[in-house]
Amino acid sequence: MEISRATEGAFERGDDERFTGEVWLRPTLVAEDGTNIGVVHFSPGARTHWHRHPGGQFLFGVSGRGRVRSKEGAGHVLEPGDVIRVGPDEWHFHGGTPGTPLVHVAVNGGGVPDWADPVTDDQYEEGF
């Protein structure tokens, strides 16, 4: 058994290669197959770049309000207690709404995610 205590983990600033705006991440545990879980804080309007996870991803809203959208899909608002499942290799982004920060827990299936271009302001607004 492994335990990751909230008081022991350090948050890391999200880099410009994967995020737009101010984002803070706290990685926790990684399983043998690469599945991992992390806590992510997005400031209002901050977001990931387009990306996909080979093993898919679950997003659990903790506080605030967020946006989640697949490249070819409708946008969804993520609120506290909501869970969104993103399928394997589905291009998507997530982040805070324009006026509200977001904290979510991300459970990432095994494998290394692919990162692509930043989400433009038009793409960020599309479908919401």
Side-chain angles (χ1 to χ4, degrees):
M1 180 181 299
E2 290 181 80
I3 298 172
S4 175
R5 299 209 180 272
T7 57
E8 296 171 355
F11 279 86
E12 304 165 358
R13 177 80 188 251
D15 60 80
D16 293 340
E17 300 300 313
R18 300 180 297 162
F19 301 99
T20 298
E22 189 172 343
V23 179
W24 292 88
L25 308 99
R26 185 173 76 82
T28 60
L29 300 174
V30 179
E32 291 78 9
D33 70 352
T35 299
N36 64 81
I37 186 168
V39 180
V40 187
H41 292 235
F42 294 90
S43 63
R47 55 199 179 258
T48 67
H49 290 191
W50 291 110
H51 66 288
R52 62 185 179 177
H53 298 267
Q57 183 179 52
F58 288 91
L59 302 171
F60 173 78
V62 175
S63 66
R65 289 176 54 118
R67 290 183 169 184
V68 181
R69 184 168 79 81
S70 295
K71 224 169 198 181
E72 305 301 326
H76 302 282
V77 175
L78 179 65
E79 296 184 317
D82 292 351
V83 177
I84 294 178
R85 178 182 171 267
V86 180
D89 292 321
E90 183 176 349
W91 289 101
H92 67 289
F93 80 86
H94 37 100
T97 64
T100 310
L102 170 69
V103 176
H104 73 45
V105 172
V107 179
N108 307 304
V112 177
D114 290 324
W115 291 91
D117 296 330
V119 173
T120 66
D121 289 343
D122 287 341
Q123 291 169 327
Y124 176 70
E125 293 295 333
E126 187 179 324
F128 291 95

